[in-house]
Amino acid sequence: MTSPPEFGGVAVSNERTNKNRSRLPTSIEESDSTMEERHGNFSQVLFSDVEKFYIPGDVMCCYTLTEKFVPRPKDWVGVFKVGWETTQEYYTFMWAPMPDDLNTESATQQKIQFKAYYLPKDEEHYQFCYVDEDGLVQGISIPFQFRPPDSEEDIMIVINKEKMDKMEQLREELYQENQELKDKYADLHEQLQRKQVALEATQRMNESLGQEVEQKASWEKQKASWEEQKASWEEQKASWESEMLHLKEYNQKITSEKKDMEIRIEDLLVGTLAKEDVLSFTSNSSVDQKGTEYLNAQS
């Protein structure tokens, strides 16, 4: 098919044709009578919250992608006048946004906002159509009009619609704010848990450091005790060395005195022996002399 223009334009003539023709009802009555057939043929995309008429202004188009439908990047949603025969007979269109989660197996709700500038200014009946990138219509909406309210009932509908829109917008804002608060709470809770874990780790580290400090203090105390004992041992060692030196000197003195005494004793012994020899010799000489005299006297 020929791709639609980038911006919305005026309706295309019914004389233009396309290989992929998808005819819609030509009137509201025919649309109502063929609703069942339409949902049987075009039920992959379901339009919701479609008004009977839209007052001049921007229009929000809401639709649901069924779970079996697979959207593609060049799918689009167009505004068609009731009775159109080909997908090129759109009045304006918007590219259909891709869902955030393409892997979901459930229906997905989507929204498109049509700007007032590109919407019809007449009071003909129109409808939304979802067209895939192959040019096949996958969903259509009930007919509606673009016109200002012309009765009190319509005015009440518009007022109620505006109120409902405001309430819906407020609900969406509150929901979004609630989600943001939940996300913020979850983030703060996660941060709190991380800080709690870090705090517990810090406390364990402080306890470990406290034990190390206590152990170090105990070691320092024990070291000081060892230093005192060492100083005492050094002092005792110095005392013992001094006493040993004194004993050594005393021993040397005793040894020297002993040698002197031995020499003196030896000298005394020598002197004593010499005197004894002299006395003995003297005594013997005296005896010999007396004997000689005695013999001489006898003779």
Side-chain angles (χ1 to χ4, degrees):
M1 67 171 279
T2 303
S3 299
E6 184 176 359
F7 300 102
V10 296
V12 179
S13 171
N14 290 343
E15 295 179 358
R16 301 176 68 178
T17 60
N18 184 280
K19 292 182 180 180
N20 298 314
R21 284 177 173 268
S22 299
R23 184 180 182 282
L24 290 182
T26 57
S27 66
I28 300 177
E29 291 77 10
E30 185 181 355
S31 173
D32 293 337
S33 65
T34 59
M35 182 68 70
E36 182 177 355
E37 179 182 355
R38 181 168 69 251
H39 278 283
N41 294 332
F42 310 121
S43 59
Q44 295 298 314
V45 178
L46 304 177
F47 289 91
S48 59
D49 299 331
V50 179
E51 304 294 335
K52 291 183 179 181
F53 65 90
Y54 292 94
I55 61 175
D58 297 344
V59 172
M60 183 65 70
C61 173
C62 302
Y63 59 92
T64 301
L65 306 176
T66 59
E67 57 271 14
K68 293 183 180 180
F69 179 69
V70 179
R72 289 180 289 177
K74 290 188 178 181
D75 293 355
W76 52 283
V77 177
V79 176
F80 289 79
K81 182 183 290 188
V82 171
W84 65 274
E85 293 185 354
T86 72
T87 54
Q88 291 188 354
E89 296 177 16
Y90 59 86
Y91 186 91
T92 185
F93 87 100
M94 293 287 292
W95 293 113
M98 294 293 289
D100 295 333
D101 186 5
L102 294 175
N103 298 321
T104 181
E105 296 181 356
S106 59
T108 305
Q109 295 183 350
Q110 297 287 87
K111 291 182 179 181
I112 293 179
Q113 187 177 48
F114 288 90
K115 294 296 183 181
Y117 178 80
Y118 300 110
L119 295 174
K121 303 300 186 289
D122 56 35
E123 296 185 5
E124 296 291 335
H125 288 85
Y126 292 86
Q127 56 195 160
F128 299 118
C129 295
Y130 187 102
V131 185
D132 65 18
E133 65 178 32
D134 293 327
L136 299 177
V137 179
Q138 300 294 344
I140 62 175
S141 73
I142 61 174
F144 54 84
Q145 291 177 287
F146 297 99
R147 64 177 177 82
D150 55 6
S151 67
E152 185 176 349
E153 182 181 356
D154 290 342
I155 294 174
M156 290 302 299
I157 291 175
V158 171
I159 293 175
N160 291 334
K161 177 64 169 55
E162 290 178 351
K163 289 182 179 179
M164 291 296 295
D165 290 342
K166 289 181 180 180
M167 290 179 64
E168 181 65 19
Q169 182 179 0
L170 180 61
R171 189 189 69 82
E172 288 290 337
E173 291 176 355
L174 291 175
Y175 176 78
Q176 185 67 27
E177 184 178 354
N178 186 44
Q179 288 298 117
E180 291 176 356
L181 289 174
K182 285 183 178 180
D183 294 340
K184 187 175 182 180
Y185 171 78
D187 183 59
L188 291 174
H189 183 68
E190 184 179 355
Q191 292 182 19
L192 179 61
Q193 287 183 329
R194 288 199 299 266
K195 289 182 179 181
Q196 184 67 28
V197 171
L199 178 61
E200 291 176 357
T202 303
Q203 289 176 345
R204 288 194 297 270
M205 185 180 295
N206 288 338
E207 290 177 359
S208 178
L209 290 175
Q211 292 176 356
E212 290 181 3
V213 169
E214 291 178 358
Q215 188 174 11
K216 184 178 180 181
S218 176
W219 290 343
E220 292 292 339
K221 186 177 180 180
Q222 190 172 4
K223 179 182 177 181
S225 177
W226 290 342
E227 292 292 339
E228 291 178 359
Q229 291 182 4
K230 180 180 178 182
S232 177
W233 292 340
E234 293 291 340
E235 185 178 352
Q236 190 173 4
K237 178 183 177 183
S239 176
W240 289 344
E241 288 178 349
S242 176
E243 187 174 354
M244 287 180 64
L245 181 61
H246 179 71
L247 291 173
K248 185 176 180 181
E249 292 176 353
Y250 181 75
N251 186 40
Q252 289 177 350
K253 181 179 179 182
I254 295 298
T255 302
S256 178
E257 290 179 353
K258 178 182 177 183
K259 288 182 178 180
D260 292 342
M261 289 184 68
E262 288 177 349
I263 293 172
R264 289 176 61 187
I265 289 172
E266 185 176 355
D267 291 342
L268 288 173
L269 288 175
V270 171
T272 301
L273 290 175
K275 287 181 178 181
E276 289 180 351
D277 289 340
V278 170
L279 290 174
S280 176
F281 178 77
T282 304
S283 177
N284 290 332
S285 297
S286 176
V287 170
D288 289 341
Q289 183 177 3
K290 287 181 178 182
T292 301
E293 290 178 354
Y294 177 74
L295 290 176
N296 289 331
Q298 292 291 332
S299 58

